Amino acid sequence: MTRVLVIDDHPIVLQGCRQLLEDAGVENIVQAQTLADGFRLYRMQKPDVIIVDLAMRTDALGGLSFIRRLRLHDTRTPVLVFTMHSDPVIVSRARGRRHRLCAQGHLLRRGAEGLP
Amino acid sequence: VLQKLWYDRPVRTQLLIAVGLINLLAALAAVAVSVLNTRTATQVEIEASLEIAQRFVSATIKDLAAQGKLDQLEGELPLQLKHLRHVRIMFMDVMGQLTVVSPQLAAGADAGNRQAPSWFAALVRPKLVGRAVRVVAAEGMNPVVIVGEPADEIAEAWQDFYSLAIVWLALDALILAVLYVVLGRVLDPLASLSRGMLKLEDGHYATRLQTPKVKELAVITNRFNTLAEALDVAREENSGLYRQLISVQEEERRDIANELHDEAGPCLFGITANASSIQTIADQLKGQRTGEIAHRVGEILAIVERLKLMNRALLKRLRPGSHGRVGLAELIDELIAGFERSHPGTHILYAPGRLAKSDLTLYRCIQEGITNAIRHGRASNLSIDLLEEAGHRRDGAKRPHAVLRLTLSDDGRGILPATPKGFGLTTMTERVKSLGGSCAIESEHRKGTTIRVEIPLQREKPERARALELVGGMS
């Protein structure tokens, strides 16, 4: 059973994500509202996929630092970045090999367009 | 004509002309009086001389006749009469020829006396008709004719007149020269006041004038300085208020943008997600009304999509560039494209030159300029020139100082001179000023408006620092 960890600081976004994931057949959904909680849950639950918001209220590009930290230990768990940014520079930074972040995809929160 | 000849001249010239004219009139009056006096005096003198000469000649003839030496008259008479002036004594021979016997014309006799010019002689020559010639006759001799001769009297009068004229001219020139200098000194503070006013008008509120020594002008100058000081302070306060206003406005924009981004965005996402979920559920259900549910959900999603578009447009307007690392040039392109989309009748010609990074001021200037041209000027054609050029610092230092030059011209209705500058244009000017730049707005009624903005460019920041700054500015 696929386990998904969703990290976003907004409860409505978390609820919306849960809805979409459940509709897609994912049953095991873990949620965190802060990056620290998210990291703790990652270590405890070892999710199969991580969805993280790029821009947290307290940290403009907190999602990037989360991925960077995660990739120090784990280069295999796929990460989806959740963002309002469509700027290719930011996106390539999240996905880029140079930064060894290797997020597997980015999801634009603004509409239907999204996963590449 | 009077305006050109008199009123257009400086006060100094007017006063000098007035004084010169008064002097000239006084001199003319003096000439008239002196001519009249000279004429009377000459007449009296000549008549007296004739009288004396006649008596003298008669007496001499009598004496010589008594001594029987009448034949010596021709030799004797000039000797006796050599001190008589203003008369000419002549013998008339049998043929009626006149021979002058006195005064005997000695060489250089008139050398001391300057001959009067004919106009002067004509002015002062007395009328001696009928009485200018005396004839003394006796038996046994040719008659002696005595003629009054005013020439040497006139020459003397001319000599006096000439000397006086020279003195008058010298004095007059001196008076005018002194007046010229004194008036210059007195009027100079007025000129400097006028220069000061012009400077104030040009917006140099730090202008102060030196207090002149003339008391009345010192009062005016002090008043001017007080006024300039008050204007300076008021202007400074005004500037401060505008800066505050701009920062409050930006802060407000940022807050609203943050709310839209952090709250409205997630809520819209939540609605989309939930509506999509309803759609999924409806698809799984079987029944008559599932089609209706799907239809309603589609409506909701369409409305949300509109809201999302609006949200994005608002965010872009309120906080351009905060969505990511986008350059100023792209932002401006996007802004202009947005304006052209919302106002299809308006054509905007945009000619960007090489663009360095700049803060939002330039973006706001273009935004405000276009809004103004479309909303107030009803312009249908706009042209925007943007280029960076190496200029010179205002203080005249040789170090080249790159400036960003923005020119916005439109063919709109223009701004009436009496119209007070609106909030948008004023904040734009203040924004530019706070960066040390300048903003000039030229407008003619019905002939469009041109806005010229010049912003000095700061030295390029190192790439890394700028990248960090950009990332820090995002949320």
Side-chain angles (χ1 to χ4, degrees):
Chain A
M1 195 171 16
T2 312
R3 182 177 291 161
V4 179
L5 168 62
V6 184
I7 310 169
D8 197 300
D9 55 358
H10 204 289
I12 293 178
V13 176
L14 285 181
Q15 189 271 335
C17 271
R18 170 180 285 274
Q19 207 68 261
L20 288 175
L21 288 168
E22 278 175 1
D23 289 347
V26 181
E27 283 168 15
N28 201 341
I29 302 164
V30 194
Q31 293 176 331
Q33 281 204 9
T34 63
L35 292 170
D37 279 352
F39 207 73
R40 203 171 46 244
L41 281 174
Y42 154 76
R43 292 173 84 164
M44 280 160 56
Q45 310 264 340
K46 296 284 171 207
D48 301 300
V49 177
I50 301 171
I51 300 177
V52 62
D53 187 13
L54 185 74
M56 306 296 256
R57 223 180 253 254
T58 46
D59 189 351
L61 288 178
L64 281 186
S65 56
F66 174 86
I67 304 168
R68 202 173 286 132
R69 202 170 146 203
L70 177 82
R71 287 291 177 245
L72 291 177
H73 318 278
D74 177 353
T75 52
R76 303 182 66 174
T77 311
V79 177
L80 282 176
V81 174
F82 200 33
T83 177
M84 255 184 114
H85 294 291
S86 58
D87 185 348
V89 176
I90 304 286
V91 173
S92 76
R93 206 182 278 183
R95 304 190 66 171
R97 278 168 197 223
R98 191 159 67 89
H99 301 280
R100 295 176 188 282
L101 299 185
C102 298
Q104 269 63 30
H106 77 285
L107 188 68
L108 279 173
R109 198 164 66 192
R110 67 180 188 201
E113 75 261 55
L115 280 171
Chain B
V1 179
L2 189 68
Q3 177 78 28
K4 204 175 174 188
L5 278 179
W6 183 253
Y7 293 110
D8 284 355
R9 292 182 190 282
V11 177
R12 188 199 251 186
T13 316
Q14 286 182 359
L15 285 172
L16 287 177
I17 290 175
V19 170
L21 278 177
I22 290 169
N23 278 358
L24 192 67
L25 279 176
L28 283 175
V31 167
V33 169
S34 124
V35 163
L36 279 176
N37 284 347
T38 309
R39 191 188 284 174
T40 319
T42 312
Q43 186 163 2
V44 171
E45 184 97 347
I46 300 251
E47 277 169 6
S49 297
L50 278 172
E51 196 63 35
I52 291 167
Q54 190 179 4
R55 285 188 191 169
F56 221 90
V57 171
S58 301
T60 310
I61 290 172
K62 259 183 201 162
D63 280 357
L64 287 176
Q67 291 167 28
K69 295 178 185 168
L70 210 53
D71 55 330
Q72 291 176 13
L73 183 65
E74 261 183 64
E76 198 69 24
L77 208 49
L79 283 176
Q80 299 284 342
L81 294 178
K82 66 180 174 196
H83 298 299
L84 269 182
R85 300 174 70 213
H86 313 319
V87 286
R88 194 163 289 184
I89 295 161
M90 291 168 277
F91 286 124
M92 190 188 277
D93 60 17
V94 281
M95 303 298 287
Q97 289 284 322
L98 290 170
T99 319
V100 177
V101 291
S102 175
Q104 283 174 328
L105 290 171
D110 276 345
N113 272 3
R114 195 188 289 264
Q115 208 58 41
S118 54
W119 62 268
F120 184 78
L123 271 177
V124 301
R125 188 183 292 281
K127 286 182 178 160
L128 295 166
V129 185
R131 303 176 64 193
V133 181
R134 308 283 171 95
V135 180
V136 181
E139 273 182 49
M141 56 162 274
N142 291 330
V144 178
V145 178
I146 306 165
V147 181
E149 181 49 71
D152 45 358
E153 181 68 18
I154 290 172
E156 267 173 36
W158 170 248
Q159 190 65 35
D160 291 348
F161 180 82
Y162 188 77
S163 314
L164 276 176
I166 294 286
V167 170
W168 175 83
L169 268 178
L171 270 178
D172 203 37
L174 190 69
I175 288 171
L176 289 179
V178 169
L179 259 181
Y180 182 82
V181 173
V182 169
L183 284 176
R185 287 254 170 134
V186 171
L187 295 174
D188 187 54
L190 283 181
S192 91
L193 257 178
S194 144
R195 283 194 296 272
M197 298 270 185
L198 274 180
K199 276 190 187 167
L200 273 191
E201 205 179 302
D202 285 350
H204 302 291
Y205 297 103
T207 308
R208 299 288 180 276
L209 298 177
Q210 219 176 2
T211 311
K213 285 180 183 136
V214 184
K215 203 175 143 195
E216 288 84 347
L217 293 173
V219 172
I220 298 176
T221 307
N222 286 338
R223 290 264 184 286
F224 172 90
N225 285 342
T226 316
L227 189 73
E229 177 111 37
L231 266 175
D232 202 5
V233 170
R235 162 79 213 161
E236 203 47 55
E237 276 175 10
N238 227 3
S239 259
L241 281 174
Y242 264 111
R243 277 198 293 276
Q244 216 173 325
L245 201 64
I246 290 165
S247 85
V248 167
Q249 194 191 33
E250 279 299 325
E251 215 169 290
E252 194 68 29
R253 280 177 170 163
R254 202 170 50 236
D255 285 350
I256 295 172
N258 283 344
E259 281 301 303
L260 288 176
H261 181 267
D262 296 342
E263 280 302 321
C267 287
L268 290 171
F269 170 75
I271 295 171
T272 312
N274 282 289
S276 305
S277 182
I278 293 172
Q279 178 99 58
T280 314
I281 296 167
D283 288 347
Q284 288 161 0
L285 286 177
K286 280 176 188 157
Q288 273 189 327
R289 311 205 69 177
T290 50
E292 273 178 55
I293 293 172
H295 181 70
R296 301 284 190 281
V297 168
E299 291 287 323
I300 292 173
L301 286 175
I303 293 168
V304 172
E305 200 49 44
R306 255 182 93 164
L307 278 174
K308 279 180 185 167
L309 276 174
M310 208 174 81
N311 193 27
R312 273 208 303 281
L314 266 175
L315 270 174
K316 216 165 263 177
R317 214 168 78 202
L318 292 169
R319 210 177 46 176
S322 66
H323 292 58
R325 222 189 78 141
V326 184
L328 182 68
E330 291 108 285
L331 280 178
I332 293 171
D333 281 340
E334 215 172 289
L335 175 75
I336 288 167
F339 268 112
E340 281 189 319
R341 266 200 307 277
S342 56
H343 299 84
T346 308
H347 303 284
I348 303 177
L349 185 74
Y350 173 48
R354 199 170 65 83
L355 259 190
K357 286 271 181 283
S358 165
D359 74 348
L360 264 188
T361 303
L362 195 71
Y363 181 87
R364 292 279 187 230
C365 284
I366 296 177
Q367 195 178 26
E368 185 50 45
I370 300 179
T371 306
N372 207 61
I374 292 177
R375 192 180 295 165
H376 304 296
R378 310 251 170 91
S380 50
N381 286 294
L382 263 127
S383 94
I384 302 167
D385 280 311
L386 189 57
L387 76 157
E388 185 192 324
E389 48 182 65
H392 290 275
R393 285 167 69 91
R394 274 200 206 156
D395 52 23
K398 278 182 184 169
R399 191 152 51 102
H401 196 85
V403 287
L404 206 55
R405 226 181 276 284
L406 164 71
T407 314
L408 276 143
S409 331
D410 68 60
D411 62 349
R413 295 188 300 182
I415 306 165
L416 280 171
T419 318
K421 211 161 34 159
F423 176 73
L425 288 182
T426 315
T427 45
M428 174 170 133
T429 311
E430 290 297 329
R431 266 174 195 281
V432 173
K433 270 189 191 165
S434 70
L435 289 180
S438 65
C439 176
I441 298 163
E442 298 155 22
S443 185
E444 240 182 284
H445 191 44
R446 293 184 194 286
K447 283 187 182 168
T449 306
T450 303
I451 301 174
R452 289 176 215 283
V453 175
E454 216 179 280
I455 301 171
L457 283 173
Q458 305 301 321
R459 186 174 287 192
E460 191 89 338
K461 286 177 185 158
E463 185 69 24
R464 193 180 140 69
R466 207 173 57 220
L468 282 174
E469 195 177 73
L470 277 158
V471 167
M474 291 190 315
S475 59

